[in-house]
Amino acid sequence: MTDPNAIQPSELDQLPDRDPEETAEWQASLDAVTKAAGPHRAAYLMRRTLERAEGAGIALPKLLETDYVNSIPTSAEPAVPGDEALEQRITAWNRWNAAAMVTRGSKYGVGGHIATFASAAWLYETGFNHFFKGKEADGSGDQLYIQGHASPGIYARAFLDGRLNEEQLDNFRREAGGNGLPSYPHPRRLPWLWEFPTVSMGLGPLSAIYQARFNRYLTNRNIKDTSASHVWAFLGDGEMDEPESTAALALAAREELDNLTFVINCNLQRLDGPVRANFKIVQELEAQFRGAGWNVVKTLWGTAWDELFQLDTTGALVRRLRQVPDAQIQTYQTRDAAYIRQDFFGGDPALVEMAKLLSDDKIIECFHLSRGGHEARKVFAAYKAAVEHKGAPTVILAQTVKGHTLGEGFASKNANHQMKKLSVDEFKNMRDLLELPIKDSDFVDGVVPYGHPGADSPEVRYLQERRAALGGPAPARRVHPVAPLPAPAEKAFASFDKGSGSQNVATTMAFVRLVKDLVRDKETGKRWVPIVPDEARTFGMESLFPSLGIYSPKGQTYEPVDRDQLMYYKEAQNGQILNEGITEAGSMADFIAASTSYSTHGEAMIPFYIFYSMFGWQRTADQMWQLGDQLGRGFLVGATAGRTTLTGEGLQHADGHSPVIAATNPAALSYDPAFAYEVAAIVKDGLRRMYGEAAPGEDQNVFYYLTVYNEPMPQPAKPFVDGIDEGIVKGLYRFNTAESAGITPPANAPRIQLLGSGTAIHWALKAQQLLAEEWGVAADVWSATSWSELRRDALEADEALLRGEERVPFVRQALQGADGPVLAVSDYMRQVPDQIAQWVEQDWSSLGADGFGLSDTREAARRHFGVDAESIVVAALAQLAKRGEVKAAAVKEAREKYGL
């Protein structure tokens, strides 16, 4: 039987022990302390020794968990500059108005959250008064990721500051009238205030990390010095359950992003109850962040606890705090002193004796009110430690009470996240607690009044002076007056007009070649930000490695294995490519930071993010919604697109639906180009619209989604057709007619219009030949570059008609006079082309790749889905047979002929 006290084998047994006798003496000393003073004293001494070793620079693994106490002792806390009494008054007004705003809005049933800001008020107020740099400070100011559920408190502060009025507060969550406030931080809805959307939980922390990283990218590439900017992300402890919340912690530590601070409001509650009912979320997060390499600051207990810790001569209090699960701490918040004496202190003789020295009022003060996140001095000390720490990002774990100051009906109650209002009596109790000069008579007809000390009051003057000293209002979004970027040389785009001759070229390769030419542009080349999730070689981008370099803040500290090759793997501190590894979420966060740099930093950057089309919208569509909310601009490129072009990869790699998802995003302009010259025309127009001189009425705050294909095909020359550029951009143009394709159909031959997008147009062109040669049918072929843009234009035309304006949808204009029925085909599910069916006057039918993908050759997959050229022929004949223009027997004959 194994002796449980015996020393177990460890990795140290593999290392030579130069002095076993000395080692034995150290171990014996530890045994002696354990026996004489107990294991807790021994653990304390060991931790002190490790602390000394770390301070001396001795390389040792770090402890992942510390005791459940503040990281910064009271004796080491710096004095808070400024007027703490005025800050207390400002915070009281903000608490009141936040609660009043949500309560007043509750009569409309629009919801709102009160308890989150009540717990976090001091976390924000301390930052606004002493740390958060505004847009008028050096550089770009700080970037603030505000916790979404705390938005009422931010509005309340803006009201006190004079940036919002009572009417706007009363229109919280009622925006339709044009003078309302969005529920959460939504830049698209309130673009002068909100800079970053955060309420889709998990995306805030992920985006904050990549924003801090992109700030360094701009500095290292000599585009803008962002060294004065600091990124602050305010998060909930429950939010940290989201995988995106912790997905990039290692990146932040690896790249030493000391320009980043997470502030996690540990009120121990999520939406329905405790975050870790039977465990301790603070300890879990501490271990997680320390393990990832972050600096961790715990701000758990207020000054009322100082007396208790001084009485803890045996360590019993600290031990007990580590034992009590979060749900029980929440329960203490709602129970009387007798219960706390019995449950918390009663199980340990040392704690029983300690409790005898404490009054009931003292126990209530400690367990009901005194948390580190509720005291300006504690929060200030934590923030100061964070901004002064170098070499790693910092996370502040601030313990608070959810619903603090809202009364016994709110504080720490499981349901408080869903509680939308206070009663008049509860407001009066809150008023008394906060010592606000609001009279009973101010409650007219039971309506809670807003409170404001006056525009020239000491509170408002102090607030505004502090913000002026820190560089202006915050949060705030600014779009700097930046001159439009000059258009790149026409040569880069025109080179695709002549086609590829006898060479087969995939549109993926055409796009990469276009970018290679554009990044050489003297004016705008440096502003391109190529982003790829570890698939650059798949997309033929390895040629960009040595010319642009892969961004790394460390440069290249090794000799790459392929250094002797022309296209070697080159990393550089000023590298232009962001090669993110296998993380679509991280790549999207990069894209968002780059695409909004025009606002955040006053520097227009042109990101393009290229990815497997299947793993873009399907995995990260929530971030693309965030991108639209944040008013980002740039190019998303879905490569290896379509359900049948990526041979052999199968079901999970076959994209038949990304354009459907993209069409749901109002800010996304989705294109499925068939030819290289179309890719060039779309990119050219996108650069004009997003970064150049937009046309009147055009929204610049859009982003483009282009699907490109890995299938090498002949790239034709650009047809000399009137309006072709307009057609490419708007979504549809006639590529050829049966006659212009060199086909001589019989006189009075039945005619059909074939609409194809992306790689499907090649099947349509083959079908055009088969229909003429074998069935005597004339077919015209159209390139549908954007089904969704055609639909968007048609919807706008419908809306115009309702306003009494005459407007014909572009798709109807383009097809006007085209003979015969229309048959549309794409490498996507039929829903993609079908979205324009109701605006097509001709008889309509479609083909698509509906269902799950499968592994096989392209030809076999297309036959399986019924979208190959022969299938198009049969579908075309079926349409014409319905009209009586071909014999019905021809359909059966064709099916048998082609083996369908």
Side-chain angles (χ1 to χ4, degrees):
M1 186 174 178
T2 303
D3 180 359
N5 296 317
I7 297 176
Q8 301 300 312
S10 75
E11 74 278 2
L12 294 178
D13 294 329
Q14 302 176 68
L15 306 178
D17 189 344
R18 294 185 302 175
D19 192 339
E21 185 177 345
E22 182 182 35
T23 303
E25 290 175 355
W26 275 77
Q27 292 172 336
S29 297
L30 181 61
D31 291 342
V33 171
T34 303
K35 183 176 180 180
H40 301 293
R41 176 61 180 170
Y44 178 83
L45 292 174
M46 287 301 301
R47 288 180 53 193
R48 280 297 195 188
T49 302
L50 289 171
E51 186 180 78
R52 175 59 64 88
E54 183 178 351
I58 299 172
L60 285 172
K62 292 186 178 180
L63 290 172
L64 294 186
E65 254 188 65
T66 61
D67 284 323
Y68 202 66
V69 297
N70 295 347
S71 300
I72 303 172
T74 302
S75 59
E77 291 170 358
V80 180
D83 191 323
E84 288 190 60
L86 278 178
E87 291 180 22
Q88 184 82 38
R89 298 279 289 175
I90 292 168
T91 306
W93 285 116
N94 291 341
R95 288 181 183 279
W96 177 271
N97 288 322
M101 175 173 51
V102 175
T103 297
R104 288 167 67 124
S106 67
K107 67 181 179 181
Y108 301 105
V110 294
H113 300 286
I114 305 176
T116 294
F117 177 73
S119 67
W122 276 112
L123 302 180
Y124 291 107
E125 193 59 38
T126 303
F128 284 131
N129 286 327
H130 303 288
F131 292 94
F132 304 157
K133 294 185 287 294
K135 297 296 181 182
E136 296 155 24
D138 292 339
S140 306
D142 287 354
Q143 287 83 54
L144 308 180
Y145 288 76
I146 305 294
Q147 190 179 3
H149 292 143
S151 62
I154 308 304
Y155 291 140
R157 196 174 202 277
F159 169 66
L160 208 64
D161 193 13
R163 294 200 289 162
L164 292 175
N165 56 41
E166 286 194 16
E167 180 186 1
Q168 289 171 300
L169 295 192
D170 265 348
N171 285 326
F172 172 60
R173 293 196 171 198
R174 294 193 300 138
E175 301 175 74
N179 196 30
L181 301 177
S183 52
Y184 302 125
H186 292 307
R188 186 169 285 275
R189 290 302 183 200
L190 201 63
W192 60 267
L193 180 74
W194 297 122
E195 195 167 17
F196 305 106
T198 54
V199 81
S200 190
M201 291 196 205
L203 300 190
L206 179 70
S207 296
I209 289 174
Y210 281 90
Q211 182 65 58
R213 198 277 198 100
F214 188 75
N215 291 357
R216 291 280 171 85
Y217 173 90
L218 291 177
T219 299
N220 287 332
R221 290 196 55 219
N222 296 314
I223 290 175
K224 182 170 186 177
D225 182 3
T226 64
S227 57
S229 291
H230 198 90
V231 177
W232 299 83
F234 288 85
L235 317 168
D237 46 1
E239 181 179 6
M240 301 311 294
D241 286 347
E242 292 284 4
E244 294 88 352
S245 294
T246 55
L249 298 186
L251 176 137
R254 182 170 66 246
E255 299 203 1
E256 301 178 355
L257 298 180
D258 50 25
N259 61 337
L260 169 68
T261 297
F262 276 16
V263 182
I264 302 181
N265 178 18
C266 297
N267 57 35
L268 312 185
Q269 289 182 248
R270 49 189 176 199
L271 308 189
D272 286 332
V275 178
R276 292 291 183 272
N278 296 297
F279 306 94
K280 301 188 80 63
I281 186 60
V282 169
Q283 300 300 91
E284 179 182 319
L285 292 175
E286 178 184 27
Q288 194 169 15
F289 278 87
R290 284 189 188 277
W294 287 53
N295 175 46
V296 178
V297 177
K298 294 199 292 191
T299 303
L300 308 181
W301 306 111
T303 52
W305 282 81
D306 288 349
E307 179 184 342
L308 276 68
F309 288 125
Q310 290 169 3
L311 295 172
D312 186 29
T313 57
T314 65
L317 176 63
V318 172
R319 290 197 302 273
R320 180 65 178 139
L321 288 174
R322 291 196 66 175
Q323 294 168 355
V324 178
D326 285 351
Q328 192 63 21
I329 288 181
Q330 181 183 346
T331 297
Y332 293 149
Q333 172 69 30
T334 65
R335 299 301 178 88
D336 59 19
Y339 177 89
I340 298 171
R341 285 183 187 277
Q342 176 62 37
D343 192 86
F344 182 83
F345 293 97
D348 186 304
L351 292 179
V352 170
E353 292 303 312
M354 179 188 295
K356 292 177 181 178
L357 303 175
L358 303 174
S359 67
D360 286 355
D361 288 343
K362 182 66 176 181
I363 289 176
I364 293 300
E365 180 185 14
C366 288
F367 284 84
H368 283 204
L369 304 173
S370 186
R371 300 290 187 272
H374 294 323
E375 295 188 14
R377 181 184 176 113
K378 304 291 184 184
V379 177
F380 181 88
Y383 286 7
K384 189 171 187 291
V387 297
E388 291 178 354
H389 186 82
K390 301 302 177 187
T394 294
V395 59
I396 295 169
L397 303 174
Q399 185 163 276
T400 65
V401 174
K402 193 166 186 177
H404 183 59
T405 72
L406 297 181
E408 293 181 1
F410 263 84
S412 281
K413 293 299 175 67
N414 280 337
N416 61 19
H417 190 79
Q418 307 302 328
M419 296 162 67
K420 314 300 182 186
K421 60 183 179 179
L422 278 70
S423 67
V424 169
D425 287 341
E426 287 173 325
F427 266 110
K428 290 178 179 178
N429 290 335
M430 182 182 177
R431 170 201 62 190
D432 296 341
L433 175 66
L434 298 176
E435 299 180 348
L436 291 174
I438 296 173
K439 301 186 294 295
D440 286 354
S441 59
D442 293 334
F443 291 81
V444 179
D445 297 326
V447 177
V448 57
Y450 293 118
H452 199 293
D456 195 41
S457 65
E459 293 97 325
V460 173
R461 288 201 307 271
Y462 179 86
L463 181 156
Q464 294 175 341
E465 287 167 3
R466 293 306 308 141
R467 289 311 314 157
L470 287 166
R477 180 179 180 272
R478 298 284 186 271
V479 177
H480 304 264
V482 179
L485 294 181
E490 181 65 25
K491 180 181 178 181
F493 305 103
S495 63
F496 294 91
D497 290 353
K498 60 185 179 182
S500 63
S502 60
Q503 183 182 7
N504 288 345
V505 177
T507 51
T508 299
M509 296 301 101
F511 177 82
V512 171
R513 179 187 150 193
L514 174 62
V515 170
K516 286 173 65 176
D517 292 340
L518 292 175
V519 295
R520 295 191 187 106
D521 186 84
K522 291 183 179 179
E523 295 290 334
T524 60
K526 70 177 182 178
R527 297 191 177 275
W528 283 87
V529 184
I531 303 168
V532 61
D534 200 37
E535 289 280 4
R537 297 182 194 279
T538 301
F539 308 134
M541 292 175 58
E542 64 268 29
S543 61
L544 298 178
F545 288 169
S547 58
L548 300 184
I550 299 166
Y551 173 73
S552 170
K554 298 289 186 182
Q556 194 156 40
T557 62
Y558 61 93
E559 183 178 356
V561 67
D562 54 359
R563 183 62 183 86
D564 57 341
Q565 298 178 15
L566 180 62
M567 292 184 287
Y568 70 97
Y569 196 82
K570 178 186 175 183
E571 297 188 79
Q573 191 175 31
N574 64 346
Q576 196 163 348
I577 300 170
L578 292 172
N579 192 331
E580 290 306 349
I582 306 175
T583 167
E584 286 82 9
S587 299
M588 267 307 302
D590 262 338
F591 187 89
I592 292 170
S595 70
T596 53
S597 180
Y598 73 92
S599 170
T600 308
H601 296 295
E603 295 287 346
M605 305 299 288
I606 311 171
F608 81 87
Y609 164 35
I610 187 167
F611 50 89
Y612 267 101
S613 63
M614 184 68 166
F615 302 144
W617 288 87
Q618 178 163 302
R619 286 190 176 178
T620 57
D622 196 14
Q623 287 179 284
M624 288 148 180
W625 201 262
Q626 176 192 9
L627 165 66
D629 192 350
Q630 202 166 318
L631 291 81
R633 305 170 185 174
F635 297 96
L636 299 175
V637 183
T640 62
R643 184 149 275 162
T644 69
T645 62
L646 190 56
T647 55
E649 294 286 351
L651 182 152
Q652 208 162 0
H653 284 62
D655 173 20
H657 55 280
S658 69
V660 178
I661 307 175
T664 65
N665 191 308
L669 278 61
S670 179
Y671 287 88
D672 187 27
F675 304 124
Y677 67 80
E678 293 177 353
V679 173
I682 293 164
V683 171
K684 178 182 177 181
D685 193 69
L687 290 172
R688 174 201 62 80
R689 177 169 178 172
M690 295 186 291
Y691 301 99
E693 296 285 356
E698 271 188 328
D699 184 3
Q700 282 191 287
N701 299 316
V702 295
F703 60 93
Y704 283 66
Y705 176 54
L706 279 69
T707 48
V708 292
Y709 296 81
N710 67 322
E711 184 175 12
M713 298 294 288
Q715 295 297 328
K718 186 176 183 180
F720 290 101
V721 178
D722 288 341
I724 186 171
D725 287 333
E726 179 189 26
I728 291 172
V729 171
K730 288 193 171 182
L732 183 68
Y733 69 96
R734 183 157 48 194
F735 176 71
N736 69 17
T737 63
E739 292 76 12
S740 66
I743 299 169
T744 306
N748 299 319
R751 186 173 291 268
I752 190 167
Q753 309 299 319
L754 301 180
L755 277 58
S757 68
T759 196
I761 203 168
H762 298 286
W763 322 330
L765 289 168
K766 182 180 177 183
Q768 181 187 47
Q769 294 287 332
L770 293 175
L771 283 165
E773 295 170 1
E774 301 182 6
W775 306 98
V777 172
D780 301 338
V781 176
W782 299 69
S783 179
T785 54
S786 179
W787 307 102
S788 60
E789 283 305 291
L790 291 173
R791 176 180 176 81
R792 188 169 288 167
D793 170 80
L795 289 171
E796 290 173 357
D798 285 354
E799 292 173 4
L801 285 173
L802 293 175
R803 296 192 299 269
E805 303 171 19
E806 289 294 329
R807 180 175 163 188
V808 179
F810 179 79
V811 63
R812 188 169 295 167
Q813 294 177 44
L815 290 170
Q816 187 173 16
D819 292 335
V822 168
L823 173 59
V825 60
S826 79
D827 202 17
Y828 295 96
M829 56 199 298
R830 288 176 59 184
Q831 185 175 341
V832 174
D834 282 350
Q835 62 187 307
I836 65 167
Q838 71 185 83
W839 293 281
V840 174
E841 293 181 314
Q842 293 86 348
D843 292 340
W844 173 272
S845 63
S846 64
L847 296 174
D850 286 77
F852 287 113
L854 76 168
S855 300
D856 213 311
T857 64
R858 292 185 178 115
E859 293 76 16
R862 286 161 188 167
R863 176 57 58 91
H864 169 80
F865 286 111
V867 293
D868 60 353
E870 292 79 7
S871 298
I872 294 173
V873 169
V874 172
L877 293 173
Q879 276 291 88
L880 293 168
K882 283 182 183 179
R883 297 160 59 93
E885 296 180 19
V886 300
K887 294 180 180 179
V891 181
K892 180 181 178 183
E893 183 183 347
R895 282 201 304 267
E896 293 173 350
K897 178 181 177 70
Y898 300 132
L900 297 177

